[in-house]
Amino acid sequence: MPRASTPPASAPAAPPAAAPARTLSAPAKALQKLGLTHPVALALHLPLRYEDETRLTPLADVHAGDTAQVEGTVRECKVELRPRRQLVVRLLDEAGDELVLRFVNFYPSHQKSLAVGQVVRVRGEVRHGFFGREMVHPTFKAVVPGAPLAETLTPVYPASAQLPQSYLRKAVAAGLQRANLHEVIPPELVPPGLPLLRDALQVLHHPPPRTALAALEERTHPAWQRLKFEELLAQQLSQWQARLERAARRAPQLLDKPQAEQAHSLSQRLLTVLPFGLTAAQQRVVAEISADLGRAQPMHRLLQGDVGAGKTVVAALAATVAMGAGWQCALMAPTEILAEQHFAKLVQWLEPLGISVAWLSGSRKGKVRQAHLDAIASGQALLVVGTHAVIQADVKFARLGLAIVDEQHRFGVAQRLALRQHLSAPAPDDAGVLEPHLLMMTATPIPRTLAMTHFADLDVSTIDELPPGRTPILTKVFTDARRDDVVARVAEEIERGRQAYWVCPLIEESETLDLQNAQATHEALAAALPQVTVGLLHGRMPAAEKAAVMAEFKEGRMGLLVATTVIEVGVDVPNASLMVIEHAERFGLAQLHQLRGRVGRGAAASVCVLLHTPPLSVSGKARLKAMIETTDGFEIARRDLEIRGPGEFLGERQSGDALLRFADLHEDQALVQRAQAAAKLMWERHPHAAMAQVRRWHGGHLDYLQA
Ligand code: ADP
Ligand code: MG
């Protein structure tokens, strides 16, 4: 077993051996730009494809369409002027067969190296041309007869304009030589039949002749499997590491017990105040969360449940457990509208129980904000609701016992990371070093493979049942041409005492255009529906104005609400039964599902109309099809993953960090399972090697993988 002191192969890159940056050559700079400064980085820069220069094909055997390497003697080399000026070279091999080489662009140097009598080695694609079988612009070099051939296939690397292939080949070969690629994984944990890491990389860079090229290209070759296994194992190990580290930390034990002079606990009292009973699924997840809160280790639990499944009340119950035990609770939502709505609901539920709820948001400033900050710092405010303003550095909690994050997927990777760090580093005067419990909620369920990999350090609770009495939402897709019919439908719905949303198209990268568009749509709809109160809601409105519009809609004084995606998450107005989404093809699948989830929250049958402008792209079509075919959030998530791939799904662009370079969660599920099993054994039996593996693969990026 390698010792822990063995330097990790991908330790922070030492500056390249070359001198200061300004003296670097252009290709050396290009290498640096690609991050290829360290031997391991170079060794992991894998070829895109290979060229076979290990064999010579007799001229008699080359056929149009083949790419081949041939050798022959130049018999003729002349410039022809018809059909255009070009250099035509006739090549003859030992068997007396002939091939024509043709160059439309050529220099005197061409004529020199391809002089009559010269033996040349040529590589290119053969085709049927004007002169019979020919190669146009092949690569060639003059050789002495019998010059040795390449012993392995020649790698072709992803390169850039400033980085010639030949330079890159040399750099990678040198990196491969120098890289520390000793075996870190104990041999018994490597799936049988896979090569050593060094050998695997050797094969991937320099495959011996007759290697199954298809297996290399499809990444099924054992060498590929080994590399993928390394990567997946490192990822599993880092998740284990996060879990173990968390288990070693301390959190307050929040026990759901009756307080002084009360017969029941705070959460039991909340249950009696609620206008409905919990579904079986809600009861189950509340029990799971309560059990975690009662432990002395910090909970990191993800609560997933489809839109409308009733996560808010679960959050409220968790909050009462914390508050009942005498600790503070923070509830954070991604938008002011949503935070405001939670605030209103929690006030309604909790004030009758004598709990005062504080409200913090980015738009609340000055003295009022300071008063709230004081109440939080003194511990007087037990429950604090707000946007991410809740975790800003100047917000000091006296005794934060539980942090709840709603619509967790809407927070960027960096924000999630900041939250975790904020929580796991409590101020030293915080009753010892007790870390708050963390509950994250999302309506975007995580498909199984992702749950096994990227979220393996979280515990997951799932609400898999909707509250009773809901009628499924009917989804219809129309082209823009049917817009007038849709407007008529809106009028009917409002006539019947229902309410409707009209979500405006999203215009990529331009908030200003979004806004103009929403305003224009609002005007047009207000003109078309004179008998209806039509409101407008968009992200640029001052918070107070937004709140006023939302209140008017919520209280039923507004029939139609034209909005941008600010209403995407969480908004809960059960009387709304019609959702129109314009240019639905421009929205992501998860977003469409979220938007649709704004209706179907009451007993009335609800409809979601997706308007689109043809022609649809392939993925646009797939998204709309998925919306028609299912209302199940899990199925939506599965299809979304299929359409977009895991990187996009997880927002890898946000983190700027590829999540998996080599493995593919879809195709490599079997390896994921093996890696998961191996990770467990490796932590138990070879902890030093486990840490070395994590360092080798993740180096400084570990944090991002945990966010
Ligand atoms: P989400 O999971 O999308 O956050 P909400 O918490 O907003 O869902 O709940 C959706 C609606 O269902 C709300 O109006 C809520 O009060 C109501 N609700 C939640 N749980 C139940 C239940 N067990 N029975 C009836 N209605 C419920
Ligand atoms: Mg919600």
Side-chain angles (χ1 to χ4, degrees):
M1 190 182 88
R3 290 192 311 273
S5 59
T6 318
S10 61
R22 74 192 122 79
T23 63
L24 282 184
S25 66
K29 266 190 217 151
L31 269 189
Q32 216 169 37
K33 213 165 149 199
L34 289 175
L36 301 177
T37 47
H38 190 268
V40 169
L42 283 158
L44 292 177
H45 191 66
L46 295 186
L48 286 174
R49 58 187 176 83
Y50 305 90
E51 285 174 356
D52 188 351
E53 297 177 337
T54 64
R55 296 179 283 157
L56 290 174
T57 309
L59 290 183
D61 296 346
V62 300
H63 303 290
D66 293 352
T67 295
Q69 179 170 244
V70 300
E71 196 172 290
T73 309
V74 176
R75 273 299 128 93
E76 187 178 60
C77 175
K78 64 175 182 193
V79 177
E80 306 228 354
L81 295 172
R82 290 214 168 74
R84 58 188 287 196
R85 195 177 125 83
Q86 54 189 297
L87 183 69
V88 177
V89 177
R90 284 180 199 282
L91 210 62
L92 217 65
D93 70 4
E94 284 179 342
D97 293 295
E98 197 186 87
L99 182 75
V100 169
L101 313 180
R102 209 147 60 80
F103 300 86
V104 179
N105 301 312
F106 61 95
Y107 302 95
S109 60
H110 278 75
Q111 280 150 288
K112 209 164 146 195
S113 349
L114 293 164
V116 171
Q118 178 66 55
V119 176
V120 287
R121 198 166 279 175
V122 185
R123 188 168 192 290
E125 195 186 325
V126 184
R127 58 185 217 186
H128 260 299
F130 195 68
F131 303 101
R133 287 178 313 160
E134 62 175 28
M135 286 184 183
V136 180
H137 287 209
T139 55
F140 64 89
K141 59 181 179 217
V143 291
V144 289
L149 287 161
E151 284 174 9
T152 59
L153 301 181
T154 309
V156 180
Y157 293 105
S160 62
Q162 285 72 40
L163 194 55
Q165 198 57 235
S166 53
Y167 184 93
L168 191 51
R169 277 184 192 141
K170 278 190 203 125
V172 171
L176 189 58
Q177 278 299 313
R178 298 207 344 256
N180 177 357
L181 297 171
H182 69 272
E183 288 292 292
V184 169
I185 310 175
E188 71 274 16
L189 295 183
V190 178
L194 300 192
L196 298 180
L197 176 61
R198 172 169 283 291
D199 295 346
L201 283 170
Q202 184 64 36
V203 166
L204 293 175
H205 286 286
H206 304 291
R210 270 175 278 287
T211 303
L213 274 186
L216 283 185
E217 268 151 30
E218 284 158 19
R219 304 190 168 192
T220 53
H221 192 283
W224 263 111
Q225 299 282 312
R226 173 66 205 247
L227 199 58
K228 290 175 177 187
F229 182 72
E230 288 272 335
E231 180 178 46
L232 289 168
L233 179 63
Q235 189 197 39
Q236 291 293 327
L237 287 170
S238 70
Q239 305 270 357
W240 267 94
Q241 192 178 33
R243 219 172 234 284
L244 292 174
E245 280 171 12
R246 174 155 56 88
R249 300 198 298 262
R250 288 283 157 264
Q253 271 181 284
L254 309 174
L255 298 169
D256 190 22
K257 283 197 302 223
Q259 297 155 282
E261 299 144 40
Q262 294 285 347
H264 299 286
S265 73
L266 194 58
S267 74
Q268 285 163 336
R269 288 165 58 211
L270 172 57
L271 284 172
T272 62
V273 175
L274 288 177
F276 48 77
L278 297 189
T279 62
Q282 284 170 323
Q283 287 173 13
R284 175 170 43 75
V285 301
V286 167
E288 286 165 3
I289 294 166
S290 300
D292 274 4
L293 293 177
R295 294 197 185 99
Q297 286 88 37
M299 163 177 84
H300 278 192
R301 188 171 279 278
L302 181 71
L303 171 61
Q304 53 181 24
D306 208 347
V307 279
K311 295 182 289 295
T312 316
V313 70
V314 173
L317 285 162
T320 52
V321 172
M323 295 187 291
W327 290 75
Q328 289 171 298
C329 176
L331 172 60
M332 188 164 85
T335 66
E336 291 219 355
I337 291 178
L338 187 50
E340 181 106 40
Q341 180 184 291
H342 282 331
F343 177 70
K345 193 161 256 183
L346 290 167
V347 164
Q348 184 194 329
W349 286 341
L350 295 173
E351 289 206 331
L353 305 179
I355 299 224
S356 70
V357 186
W359 159 254
L360 269 190
S361 82
S363 63
R364 174 161 274 181
K365 297 199 170 72
K367 277 201 184 116
V368 190
R369 177 177 162 83
Q370 194 51 52
H372 280 270
L373 290 181
D374 293 344
I376 295 166
S378 71
Q380 187 199 332
L382 273 183
L383 178 55
V384 184
V385 180
T387 57
H388 61 271
V390 167
I391 53 150
Q392 236 100 78
D394 64 339
V395 184
K396 300 265 186 286
F397 285 85
R399 290 159 67 75
L400 183 61
L402 170 65
I404 305 175
V405 184
D406 193 16
E407 306 292 353
Q408 172 261 9
H409 65 282
R410 285 288 307 259
F411 289 93
V413 173
Q415 274 169 318
R416 280 184 251 162
L417 185 63
L419 174 71
R420 284 207 195 180
Q421 279 170 350
H422 191 81
L423 295 182
S424 57
D429 58 346
D430 246 352
V433 269
L434 291 182
E435 178 181 325
H437 298 278
L438 178 59
L439 175 65
M440 292 173 274
M441 308 200 288
T442 183
T444 302
I446 301 165
R448 209 181 94 81
T449 35
L450 288 183
M452 277 172 71
T453 52
H454 295 86
F455 295 91
D457 75 316
L458 291 183
D459 296 303
V460 178
S461 289
T462 305
I463 308 183
D464 50 8
E465 167 188 21
L466 292 180
R470 303 265 171 91
T471 0
I473 307 167
L474 186 65
T475 302
K476 295 182 172 175
V477 173
F478 296 128
T479 69
D480 265 343
R482 299 278 304 275
R483 201 185 158 95
D484 289 348
D485 298 345
V486 174
V487 174
R489 186 66 215 277
V490 169
E492 269 171 42
E493 199 69 15
I494 294 167
E495 184 91 336
R496 277 195 254 152
R498 302 271 163 219
Q499 290 164 281
Y501 296 97
W502 189 293
V503 177
C504 284
L506 187 75
I507 294 167
E508 196 106 13
E509 323 283 347
S510 169
E511 216 182 307
T512 324
L513 281 182
D514 263 0
L515 185 54
Q516 287 172 358
N517 212 304
Q519 281 164 340
T521 308
H522 173 246
E523 272 169 38
L525 287 171
L529 301 166
Q531 72 284 17
V532 175
T533 311
V534 185
L536 174 65
L537 190 73
H538 59 75
R540 290 277 188 86
M541 279 163 56
E545 219 175 290
K546 271 191 233 170
V549 171
M550 257 341 277
E552 215 182 322
F553 189 67
K554 193 150 199 161
E555 289 156 19
R557 287 180 285 125
M558 181 184 286
L560 176 62
L561 182 58
V562 177
T564 56
T565 51
V566 290
I567 60 145
E568 178 185 337
V569 291
V571 170
D572 183 38
V573 180
N575 191 47
S577 57
L578 176 59
M579 162 67 64
V580 182
I581 305 175
E582 256 192 277
H583 279 295
E585 75 278 10
R586 294 186 190 165
F587 294 89
L589 193 46
Q591 209 175 14
L592 287 173
H593 182 63
Q594 278 280 356
L595 285 167
R596 175 170 63 183
R598 296 314 107 217
V599 296
R601 304 192 143 237
S606 293
V607 175
C608 173
V609 175
L610 304 176
L611 284 174
H612 69 92
T613 314
L616 286 176
S617 67
V618 174
S619 75
K621 206 176 274 173
R623 289 193 299 262
L624 298 189
K625 185 162 177 278
M627 287 295 289
I628 297 172
E629 288 176 358
T630 180
T631 53
D632 173 359
F634 283 87
E635 178 61 14
I636 292 272
R638 203 188 57 71
R639 298 220 197 168
D640 199 21
L641 180 66
E642 206 171 272
I643 297 170
R644 291 195 294 162
E648 290 250 339
F649 187 93
L650 288 167
E652 106 185 5
R653 288 211 191 126
Q654 263 173 339
S655 76
D657 205 13
L659 292 160
L660 285 173
R661 266 177 85 184
F662 303 112
D664 179 301
L665 289 185
H666 253 321
E667 280 159 26
D668 300 319
Q669 293 192 21
L671 272 184
V672 172
Q673 272 165 23
R674 279 186 168 275
Q676 199 179 33
K680 185 168 185 289
L681 292 174
M682 197 155 160
W683 267 121
E684 284 166 11
R685 299 185 195 158
H686 310 274
H688 292 306
M691 280 186 284
Q693 178 74 359
V694 172
R695 274 198 310 269
R696 166 180 272 178
W697 278 85
H698 295 317
H701 305 305
L702 186 58
D703 289 346
Y704 271 116
L705 288 168
Q706 289 176 10

